[in-house]
Amino acid sequence: MAGMTTKGFDPARWQKRLDALRARHHVPGATLAVLVEGEIHELASGVLHQGTGVEASTDSVFQSGSIAKVYTATLVMQLVDSGQLRLDTRVGDVLSGFAVADAAVAASVTIGQLLSHTSGIGGDFIYDTGRGDDCLAQYVAACAGVGQDCPPGTVVSYCSTGYAILGRIVEVITGQTWDAALRDRLLRPLGLEYSMTLPEEALRFRVAMSHLGELGVDPEPAPVWDMMPRSAGPYGRVLVTAADVVRFARMHLDGGTAPDDTRVLSTASVAAMQRRVADCLDIWSFMADGWGHGWALYDWEGVPGYGHDGASGGQFSYLRVVPDSGLIAVLLTNGGGATGLFVDLFQELLGELARVRMPGVFAPAEEAEDARPVDVAPLAGTYEREGMRITIGERDGVPHMQLRLTGGMAHYAPPIEVDLAPVSDTVLAMPGLGPVSTPWLPLVFGTLPDGEPYLYFGMRAAMKIA
């Protein structure tokens, strides 16, 4: 019965906290779903659209952004279960004529490397190939010009491009479009009636509008609802309710079975998706310290977890699973200071229900006496990845960055010049500019196994070139 308090979860209390924190962080609307002690609880707060005033409801559909990657990874692992793929299968053995700018990478890159973001392929290749069923085939053909962020098999470098390629692999093996394969092989078996991939399908439901604006003020409705091409589906567009995301994640928590005991994924593949492939020095951009074959991995002071974040045109989504406690929590938002809302709410929620100490929002020390001087000289230089060149130096004794978009990305924005704040000997903080969900962004410096220096920005690796 709605409003009843069950052991471990007080709906009235958490509704009050969701309302208060949503307003504090200027988030127009949000929905929350929590699995605790085997029961799903759903809450909603605010409005779906600031212009129309339509209220958010628990059955409202949001854009999940990159959480879509875990759905695509699950489809791929189903094909591993059927024996049609292996994690060490080379992409070129499935996709005839597959090419990227580095021919050696095209010949050797594997399914497992794409799943774990260790392919090194330039990760932000956005290419609109239209609305036809051949959109992914055309996208993969266009990847022939995509360069490398870093050498394959070295570090995690977040790669949406790789998930579009995986979506095409699903199509080639199943003979279906990625959308149809997702629907038939995952959404329907799990009973996810409020999950879909295409805008015209979402219009059957109450749909959240994206909102854009500076932090600290109420954002305005975006000029269009959906800014992604259809080819972005495998890496960025599964349209969902919070409770449906919980139901999807519950299948993984339950070892690969649906509520009716139908096996959707083998226990071996469930484990493989959660098995740590590589650590990640940037523990702030996705709040993860490692990656499996699909899942972002967390270590909360010895308590393991997995999940994923997503962003799509002003909408931000957050999924966390604490397997030791059997807890799943999902927050969907449509703009504003979403990350601040997420951190404040989930620190309380996971702390109380799962005894998890989740870290706070990334930021340099607030007080001058707490700030530590950093020798910028070892970090200085020019770093480059596909579509971006970053130069680190000093200006008036302060760490400084110049960021330029390059190649096909050059026309998107002019160069940025900004002073940085020191955090540690290997971490600098850049103030968030424009419509972002956090006030500070991390720049994390590391070295590859062979000693080559690189820079993480947005959890994409850029190699030092000068």
Side-chain angles (χ1 to χ4, degrees):
M1 182 180 299
M4 287 187 64
T5 300
T6 61
K7 182 181 179 183
F9 192 90
D10 182 344
R13 179 196 165 194
W14 291 112
Q15 181 70 61
K16 184 177 180 179
R17 291 303 292 147
L18 177 61
D19 291 340
L21 292 171
R22 179 195 57 75
R24 178 190 301 174
H25 291 285
H26 300 276
V27 173
T31 57
L32 173 71
V34 182
L35 175 73
V36 57
E37 297 187 341
E39 184 175 352
I40 298 176
H41 305 269
E42 301 178 69
L43 304 175
S45 180
V47 297
L48 298 178
H49 192 304
Q50 293 276 44
T52 64
V54 174
E55 293 183 350
S57 58
T58 57
D59 62 354
S60 296
V61 171
F62 288 71
Q63 298 180 46
S64 70
S66 286
I67 289 179
K69 291 180 173 68
V70 190
Y71 290 72
T72 297
T74 302
L75 285 178
V76 171
M77 295 308 294
Q78 287 180 332
L79 299 177
V80 171
D81 286 343
S82 67
Q84 295 166 287
L85 286 177
R86 299 186 313 274
L87 290 175
D88 63 356
T89 297
R90 292 179 299 183
V91 173
D93 291 339
V94 182
L95 301 182
S96 177
F98 173 71
V100 291
D102 188 321
V105 172
S108 64
V109 68
T110 67
I111 303 298
Q113 289 174 330
L114 296 184
L115 287 169
S116 60
H117 299 282
T118 57
S119 72
I121 294 171
D124 296 319
F125 180 50
I126 300 172
Y127 186 55
D128 189 347
T129 52
R131 285 297 309 271
D133 287 351
D134 63 347
C135 64
L136 283 177
Q138 291 190 53
Y139 177 97
V140 171
C143 285
V146 175
Q148 290 294 116
D149 287 347
C150 62
T154 54
V155 296
V156 173
S157 187
Y158 193 75
C159 184
S160 292
T161 309
Y163 271 78
I165 296 168
L166 288 170
R168 178 57 183 159
I169 287 171
V170 169
E171 292 188 335
V172 168
I173 292 179
T174 66
Q176 299 178 285
T177 63
W178 170 82
D179 308 83
L182 183 71
R183 181 182 63 244
D184 293 347
R185 295 165 179 262
L186 199 55
L187 303 183
R188 283 179 177 166
L190 291 175
L192 306 184
E193 299 178 2
Y194 290 84
S195 299
M196 64 228 70
T197 62
L198 299 174
E200 58 268 29
E201 297 173 310
L203 289 175
R204 296 179 294 149
F205 306 103
R206 293 168 69 94
V207 179
M209 182 67 186
S210 300
H211 292 74
L212 302 173
E214 304 287 338
L215 287 176
V217 298
D218 290 340
E220 296 293 327
V224 295
W225 174 74
D226 183 7
M227 302 179 187
M228 287 189 174
R230 185 179 175 188
S231 58
Y235 67 75
R237 190 166 65 198
V238 179
L239 314 171
V240 293
T241 61
D244 261 12
V245 180
V246 168
R247 294 182 184 103
F248 164 73
R250 187 174 190 173
M251 179 270 291
H252 285 267
L253 185 64
D254 289 344
T257 59
D260 63 359
D261 293 326
T262 298
R263 179 151 297 282
V264 177
L265 197 63
S266 73
T267 56
S269 286
V270 167
M273 289 182 65
Q274 300 172 30
R275 185 167 57 245
R276 185 174 294 255
V277 176
D279 296 331
C280 183
L281 291 181
D282 180 358
I283 60 174
W284 298 282
S285 293
F286 281 78
M287 298 185 182
D289 59 83
W291 225 272
H293 289 109
W295 288 110
L297 305 178
Y298 316 104
D299 182 344
W300 296 300
E301 298 184 2
V303 179
Y306 56 91
H308 215 288
D309 296 343
S312 176
Q315 299 194 38
F316 302 91
S317 56
Y318 310 88
L319 162 61
R320 294 296 183 271
V321 182
V322 189
D324 289 353
S325 302
L327 182 138
I328 302 172
V330 173
L331 177 69
L332 306 179
T333 70
N334 62 350
T339 297
L341 164 61
F342 158 69
V343 169
D344 287 351
L345 181 63
F346 276 42
Q347 280 183 330
E348 294 183 28
L349 190 72
L350 272 61
E352 179 173 313
L353 300 179
R355 301 294 185 263
V356 163
R357 291 175 58 88
M358 202 180 79
V361 174
F362 172 79
E366 292 185 5
E367 302 297 332
E369 57 267 25
D370 295 331
R372 54 179 295 176
V374 169
D375 181 5
V376 178
L379 311 178
T382 299
Y383 300 79
E384 189 169 61
R385 64 178 175 85
E386 180 77 352
M388 184 176 293
R389 183 177 297 118
I390 299 170
T391 301
I392 304 294
E394 276 191 349
R395 185 172 67 177
D396 300 327
V398 176
H400 184 75
M401 179 179 80
Q402 181 190 79
L403 185 153
R404 289 180 177 272
L405 299 181
T406 61
M409 301 282 289
H411 66 282
Y412 280 103
I416 294 173
E417 298 261 357
V418 63
D419 287 340
L420 307 172
V423 175
S424 74
D425 290 339
T426 58
V427 181
L428 301 174
M430 170 188 169
L433 303 174
V436 296
S437 66
T438 55
W440 293 93
L441 304 173
L443 289 90
V444 185
F445 298 80
T447 56
L448 298 184
D450 65 1
E452 288 293 310
Y454 70 94
L455 164 63
Y456 266 135
F457 181 61
M459 218 178 77
R460 280 82 165 166
M463 301 303 300
K464 189 173 184 178
I465 61 170

